[in-house]
Amino acid sequence: MEFQNNKDVKFKNDVYLLEKAEKNKPKLNYQEIAPINLVDIQADETGFQGFKVTNSKQQLSKLAIYHLGKKDSLVFDFGTHYVGRFSIDLNSVGSPMDAPLFLHLKFGEVAADIGVDSKSYDGWISSSWIQEEYIHIDELPYHLELPRRYSMRYVQIEVLDSSPKWKLVVNNPKITAESAVKMEDVVPIKTGDKLLDKIDQVSLRTLHDCMQDVFEDGPKRDRRLWLGDLRLQALTNYQTFKNKALVKRCLYLFAGMTTADGLVAANVFTKPRNIPDDTFMFDYSLFFISVLHDYLVVEDDKELLADLYPVAKRQLELAKKMLTDDNVVALDDKWITFVDWSENLDKHAAAQAIMIYTAKQFKKLAEMKKNSEDVINTEKLINSLTKAALDNYYDAKEQLFVSGPMNQVNIASQAWMVLAHVLPDDKAKMVMKKALEKLFPVKGVGTPYMYHHIVAALFEVGLKEEAIAEMKNYWGKMVEYGADTFFEAFDPQRPNFSPYGSPIINSYCHAWSCTPTYFIRKYLV
């Protein structure tokens, strides 16, 4: 699914709201990290995506005695995933330096990032996201401090060319890691299940590394603030790092840069300045309501409610324009509904459920605001949307929801209709039981983002053991593959799955994947 180009859309900046976003901008924490080992990364069918990491014959403690000539390389292993800037000291041994040093550096979140030849990439998003640099250095010694920020565990330094008369010596490789929060600020938990404890820690690292100037979707790619990711990050943050100011900043950024008609963009940039993207999603715009609602559930902030209530209300008003005369959400290619990267997924029922879900949250905002007219009108909308959902999408005989003109039965429809509480609790539980019988193991779901909603629906109806099992089957499989942080896209049956045409461009530390720690801390401890 490629995003719609909307370059002609007019935006408006609300200086008052953007100033409040700036006031909540975090001061980043910095930490210097040295590598723990030198490793080799080799093609191996048994490894994740065809590559395996083994200890190098070279020893980190003897780094200064290794002399690197043309085509020689070293791979540093920093022990876990970090986001930051890389530096290293370079020197020469032998004859005087009679030619420039030509270096190739690669930065890998997983081994395949290093092992795969970047030239093999042929996907539909830019190859410039591949983390590598080609650098000429004319004089040694030289302290190389790269200005770009990378997302990495592994760093490869390769001599492409120098001169037969001298060799390269490297020393003091390090990452200056950065994040808005600190890992030690979260108290470790013990569930009594080693795999769940490991999943919890990987989840925390994932969220930690995505908490930067804003809640980024992925520090490797795209490095920006997406509303769908923000919703899940914020929920997880309330259970873990509890950095509420960063959530406020993100809400004010979205609210401060809407279209002239008041529509919230799907994502925003903050560098080189605050800029809204010209991508819009039906479900993501509605999730502005969710993020505001969820924040106000944990923090009584009347000023925030007053500032952002009109923006939340406007998202629902604009969504209502998508309704048919029968109160069914009509999908529109100009305002796409995301739901997931899933292949061949019919999204009609999920879109209807998401509108019901967010309308119920807006009603609670209206109650907080003591706006009785909005409460009454939203209740009427919820009732009409719910009736339309049951009339058009619920198969009472099968006790499952169908979606679209072909009556597709998919897991997204079941999960979202359950989360929207379209049915009474007993019938909702039966929907998920039927789904477990007929739709599990889940197929065609491309991301942990959708899997979050599947697990959330299981917990919502009281199927706790089943929810735990799915967390372990899905996120646990990433742990089994050696994940330090959780991936953007993952299909346990197809480890090489990518929505972009090649896994080399995938993000392996991605915000919407961080939620197992939310479930564990909310439901299990």
Side-chain angles (χ1 to χ4, degrees):
M1 176 180 67
E2 297 192 32
F3 297 128
Q4 195 76 21
N5 189 326
N6 297 285
K7 289 183 179 178
D8 296 331
V9 173
K10 302 297 182 183
F11 289 93
K12 59 180 180 180
N13 280 4
D14 188 314
V15 174
Y16 170 78
L17 298 180
L18 291 176
E19 284 179 349
K20 290 198 172 183
E22 191 65 20
K23 287 179 181 178
N24 285 282
K25 187 175 181 178
K27 182 179 179 181
L28 296 181
N29 302 294
Y30 297 95
Q31 181 183 12
E32 290 192 355
I33 308 296
I36 64 165
N37 204 3
L38 288 171
V39 296
D40 293 325
I41 293 177
Q42 301 168 327
D44 188 320
E45 291 182 358
T46 65
F48 177 58
Q49 295 184 345
F51 288 90
K52 193 171 184 179
V53 180
T54 58
N55 290 335
S56 174
K57 292 180 180 179
Q58 297 162 313
Q59 299 176 34
L60 191 62
S61 60
K62 298 180 179 180
L63 185 61
I65 71 170
Y66 298 132
H67 300 168
L68 308 179
K70 184 175 181 178
K71 301 304 180 184
D72 289 336
S73 66
L74 297 170
V75 179
F76 300 105
D77 177 4
F78 286 84
T80 191
H81 188 279
Y82 293 99
V83 176
R85 288 165 170 79
F86 177 75
S87 63
I88 191 167
D89 292 327
L90 309 173
N91 209 338
S92 63
V93 293
S95 298
M97 189 176 176
D98 62 339
L101 172 65
F102 186 22
L103 289 180
H104 177 213
L105 293 100
K106 289 188 80 175
F107 304 86
E109 294 185 304
V110 295
D113 283 345
I114 303 294
V116 172
D117 184 352
S118 303
K119 295 176 183 176
S120 68
Y121 174 66
D122 188 27
W124 64 268
I125 61 174
S126 177
S127 63
S128 63
W129 284 116
I130 297 172
Q131 298 185 118
E132 62 182 342
E133 305 292 344
Y134 292 87
I135 299 171
H136 284 84
I137 297 171
D138 294 319
E139 298 176 1
L140 295 176
Y142 186 78
H143 176 67
L144 178 62
E145 193 165 332
L146 296 175
R148 295 190 71 220
R149 198 195 72 184
Y150 307 95
S151 183
M152 62 201 138
R153 170 172 175 166
Y154 304 104
V155 179
Q156 180 187 51
I157 182 167
E158 177 187 11
V159 177
L160 293 180
D161 213 342
S162 54
S163 163
K165 296 182 67 177
W166 57 272
K167 302 290 185 183
L168 174 68
V169 177
V170 301
N171 194 27
N172 195 29
K174 68 179 179 183
I175 295 169
T176 303
E178 55 192 73
S179 173
V181 291
K182 298 178 180 178
M183 285 291 289
E184 54 265 31
D185 290 343
V186 181
V187 178
I189 59 168
K190 296 293 182 183
T191 64
D193 184 311
K194 289 184 179 180
L195 179 55
L196 283 177
D197 289 348
K198 179 63 176 178
I199 289 171
D200 178 74
Q201 287 301 303
V202 175
S203 300
L204 285 172
R205 171 62 66 177
T206 304
L207 179 58
H208 171 277
D209 287 2
C210 291
M211 292 177 71
Q212 300 290 336
D213 173 65
V214 292
F215 282 97
E216 292 184 358
D217 64 325
K220 171 184 174 183
R221 205 216 78 245
D222 303 322
R223 301 184 182 182
R224 59 190 123 123
L225 172 62
W226 284 83
L227 247 171
D229 298 76
L230 172 61
R231 174 174 159 264
L232 301 190
Q233 286 173 291
L235 284 172
T236 307
N237 171 59
Y238 302 142
Q239 295 286 336
T240 55
F241 296 103
K242 297 179 172 57
N243 189 328
K244 297 171 189 174
L246 192 59
V247 182
K248 285 182 70 170
R249 167 170 166 75
C250 295
L251 279 166
Y252 277 119
L253 283 169
F254 277 114
M257 298 184 289
T258 67
T259 67
D261 198 28
L263 182 63
V264 169
N267 68 93
V268 298
F269 302 84
T270 56
K271 296 176 182 177
R273 62 188 185 281
N274 297 329
I275 308 168
D277 193 16
D278 55 3
T279 297
F280 303 91
M281 298 182 188
F282 174 77
D283 42 348
Y284 276 34
S285 295
L286 285 170
F287 286 145
F288 180 86
I289 297 170
S290 297
V291 181
L292 179 58
H293 166 272
D294 295 342
Y295 182 93
L296 292 170
V297 166
V298 299
E299 184 76 9
D300 182 15
D301 191 330
K302 292 180 175 58
E303 181 182 9
L304 184 71
L305 177 61
D307 287 342
L308 303 188
Y309 183 84
V311 181
K313 182 177 178 179
R314 187 59 181 154
Q315 305 320 299
L316 196 58
E317 290 173 345
L318 291 169
K320 286 164 66 175
K321 295 182 179 182
M322 296 280 282
L323 297 177
T324 67
D325 292 340
D326 296 327
N327 293 304
V328 172
V329 175
L331 301 188
D332 189 335
D333 289 341
K334 294 181 180 179
W335 192 13
I336 61 173
T337 300
F338 177 64
V339 181
D340 190 41
W341 281 118
S342 305
E343 300 166 358
N344 304 314
L345 175 68
D346 189 286
K347 302 175 181 180
H348 287 83
Q352 186 84 12
I354 289 168
M355 189 167 179
I356 296 168
Y357 177 88
T358 52
K360 287 181 176 180
Q361 291 176 320
F362 179 74
K363 181 187 170 188
K364 291 181 180 178
L365 293 177
E367 290 169 349
M368 294 177 193
K369 195 76 167 60
K370 295 182 172 56
N371 188 322
S372 58
E373 182 180 357
D374 283 352
V375 171
I376 292 168
N377 290 337
T378 307
E379 180 67 25
K380 290 178 180 177
L381 175 64
I382 292 166
N383 290 339
S384 61
L385 289 170
T386 301
K387 183 179 184 302
L390 294 173
D391 290 346
N392 290 273
Y393 299 126
Y394 184 55
D395 185 333
K397 182 180 178 181
E398 295 296 326
Q399 297 177 294
L400 288 168
F401 287 90
V402 298
S403 182
M406 302 301 292
N407 288 336
Q408 185 185 98
V409 179
N410 62 57
I411 191 60
S413 302
Q414 320 313 317
W416 270 113
M417 286 292 182
V418 165
L419 293 172
H421 290 272
V422 169
L423 291 169
D425 291 348
D426 57 337
K427 290 186 177 181
K429 187 169 187 176
M430 185 55 65
V431 165
M432 292 311 295
K433 283 186 174 181
K434 289 285 186 179
L436 285 166
E437 291 174 13
K438 297 188 176 184
L439 300 176
F440 285 68
V442 174
K443 295 180 180 178
V445 167
T447 67
Y449 173 76
M450 186 61 238
Y451 231 91
H452 163 89
H453 298 100
I454 297 167
V455 172
L458 290 169
F459 275 119
E460 192 79 4
V461 298
L463 296 174
K464 179 178 175 180
E465 294 307 315
E466 291 83 351
I468 294 169
E470 291 309 311
M471 276 200 297
K472 293 170 75 171
N473 290 339
Y474 190 72
W475 282 275
K477 188 66 175 178
M478 285 186 258
V479 169
E480 185 181 317
Y481 280 128
D484 299 302
T485 51
F486 287 129
F487 312 155
E488 169 190 21
F490 182 64
D491 182 340
Q493 309 305 317
R494 298 179 297 161
N496 287 330
F497 168 73
S498 171
Y500 311 111
S502 170
I504 193 176
I505 210 75
N506 286 5
S507 164
Y508 294 96
C509 174
H510 213 75
W512 66 24
S513 309
C514 72
T515 57
T517 187
Y518 161 77
F519 292 125
I520 290 168
R521 289 162 189 268
K522 181 176 181 179
Y523 293 107
L524 305 184
V525 295

